[in-house]
Amino acid sequence: MDDLVSHAAIFLLSNVLFGAVMAAFLLRHVERSVLSAGASVLLGLGLAPFTITWILNALLLLVPGLPTWFVVGAVLLVFLILAVLTGRGWPELVEFISSSLRQLRFAATWPYLSFTGAMVFGTYVMLVYKPLVDHDILEYGTQGRIFLRDMAIRYERHHYDEASGFYYVGLHGFSFPLLFTWEGLLRGLFHGDGDAWVRLQTPFFAWLLVTFVWVWVRCFGAWLAVWVVGAFTLTIGFLYLNTIYHVDPVRIFLFTVSMALFIAVLRSPSSTALFLWGIVLGAHALTHSLGMILAPFMLAVYVFVAPGAFPARLRQGALATSAFLVAGGFHYILDVAVGTGWLFKDITWF
């Protein structure tokens, strides 16, 4: 029972409460012409875990060796500040939840509710019967626990841990491994252990991904959304995605949102939209190296095809690029300059 309570508490804090803060913040500051209310709420839920790991990345890199309570307190403080700055976003979030509940009476919503029910049941089965045994996530988990043990992030030629004999060969940013660090920090405060919260992120982000597609397509027709989501979720690829613990649901969700925002900034290149687009591009990059590979192409395409005069497009591209570098691109600059060399390294096996 104690384990169940701790699992639920970490999820409620990290995904629900922090997710609500991010959702309300986006509802307050992002125009509906950029993202609909539903898309903003879903993006907020998806950015909450990333924001946690970004704060951890900054603290463990800039001030290594901080005590656990200080790091957890810093994360709580940042979300508290965001909650205060949200202002009227809270009533907007309440209104969105109320309007979403009113949608339950429409028949076109029932297939989506059936999918959500199936996801909840499948999540329960995975958490109870499937331990963390899949290859890549074990690598991320081990590195995340090393960050937790050392309370430090270092950029070095080889991520080799002499104490355990573990050599980290990942080419990605540290966002996903730091999910394990965050769970370890919270469980350590109560002298517990486990990885259920990180394992839960696979089905949670898969649900976010499908729901984002549902909300996006629903703007063109309720039953069209049913067909699109059905065609998407019944593929072998999606079913496989939900039977292993992996980073893929997180990165695909962030990539999907970045494409939606790419379309939005091409239509209406406001400063808010460009900044948010850059943040999501950076979140994708800090989660997976494909985000770093794709982002420069997307930013370049924007500069060359967006409407308006070329100097204005350059300024807009610079704004999005700056947000991208702060949110996640910085990792690869550091990794190439003083770290492993990223794609240019020779992988050494120990």
Side-chain angles (χ1 to χ4, degrees):
M1 180 60 70
D2 290 341
D3 285 345
L4 180 60
V5 171
S6 66
H7 297 336
I10 296 174
F11 178 77
L12 289 174
L13 173 67
S14 306
N15 291 91
V16 179
L17 180 59
F18 289 173
V21 171
M22 296 299 297
F25 186 83
L26 292 179
L27 286 174
R28 166 66 176 83
H29 295 284
V30 178
E31 305 95 329
R32 296 289 80 82
S33 60
V34 177
L35 285 178
S36 67
S40 295
V41 169
L42 293 169
L43 177 56
L45 293 173
L47 283 181
F50 162 75
T51 304
I52 294 170
T53 61
W54 189 92
I55 299 168
L56 294 182
N57 201 325
L59 290 175
L60 271 58
L61 175 63
L62 299 176
V63 194
L66 289 170
T68 297
W69 63 266
F70 185 92
V71 175
V72 173
V75 173
L76 294 174
L77 179 61
V78 169
F79 278 96
L80 177 61
I81 293 172
L82 290 175
V84 172
L85 295 176
T86 292
R88 70 170 186 269
W90 289 112
E92 291 185 35
L93 179 60
V94 172
E95 172 56 30
F96 168 78
I97 295 173
S98 299
S99 64
S100 298
L101 292 176
R102 290 194 292 269
Q103 297 293 322
L104 298 181
R105 67 179 186 270
F106 297 113
T109 308
W110 300 344
Y112 168 75
L113 294 177
S114 299
F115 159 77
T116 299
M119 287 294 294
V120 171
F121 175 75
T123 299
Y124 170 78
V125 172
M126 286 184 66
L127 291 179
V128 173
Y129 297 104
K130 183 177 173 58
L132 199 157
V133 294
D134 300 302
H135 175 269
D136 285 2
I137 200 169
L138 283 174
E139 181 182 2
Y140 307 140
T142 303
Q143 185 60 51
R145 290 304 181 94
I146 291 173
F147 290 152
L148 175 64
R149 183 198 67 200
D150 298 342
M151 290 303 289
I153 288 177
R154 301 179 182 88
Y155 284 89
E156 49 198 354
R157 187 65 177 170
H158 300 287
H159 287 296
Y160 176 62
D161 181 55
E162 292 185 2
S164 62
F166 173 72
Y167 184 78
Y168 181 68
V169 297
L171 296 172
H172 317 309
F174 294 140
S175 182
F176 198 80
L178 283 167
L179 292 175
F180 288 91
T181 308
W182 173 247
E183 182 166 16
L185 285 169
L186 293 182
R187 294 192 185 279
L189 292 176
F190 302 100
H191 307 288
D193 197 13
D195 51 36
W197 178 70
V198 178
R199 288 189 286 130
L200 181 60
Q201 300 314 300
T202 290
F204 179 71
F205 272 89
W207 175 81
L208 281 181
L209 171 63
V210 173
T211 306
F212 188 86
V213 173
W214 164 268
V215 168
W216 199 9
V217 179
R218 192 179 173 87
C219 297
F220 304 97
W223 287 105
L224 177 62
V226 172
W227 285 106
V228 170
V229 167
F232 179 44
T233 57
L234 295 177
T235 60
I236 295 297
F238 182 81
L239 295 174
Y240 177 73
L241 189 72
N242 284 282
T243 58
I244 60 172
Y245 299 120
H246 207 272
V247 67
D248 280 353
V250 182
R251 72 169 180 84
I252 295 174
F253 170 76
L254 292 171
F255 172 69
T256 302
V257 177
S258 72
M259 288 300 298
L261 286 169
F262 187 25
I263 295 171
V265 295
L266 285 173
R267 292 175 174 174
S268 179
S270 67
S271 297
T272 301
L274 289 161
F275 185 79
L276 181 61
W277 181 42
I279 292 293
V280 175
L281 288 175
H284 185 201
L286 198 61
T287 302
H288 200 280
S289 58
L290 280 175
M292 182 63 212
I293 295 171
L294 293 172
F297 289 100
M298 296 173 71
L299 290 164
V301 168
Y302 175 83
V303 170
F304 283 102
V305 306
F310 188 69
R313 282 179 280 160
L314 278 178
R315 291 192 297 271
Q316 293 162 358
L319 174 61
T321 301
S322 299
F324 160 71
L325 291 174
V326 172
F330 70 88
H331 167 83
Y332 298 92
I333 296 175
L334 291 174
D335 201 28
V336 170
V338 296
T340 65
W342 190 40
L343 291 177
F344 312 105
K345 70 178 179 181
D346 293 323
I347 297 179
T348 302
W349 301 95
F350 286 86

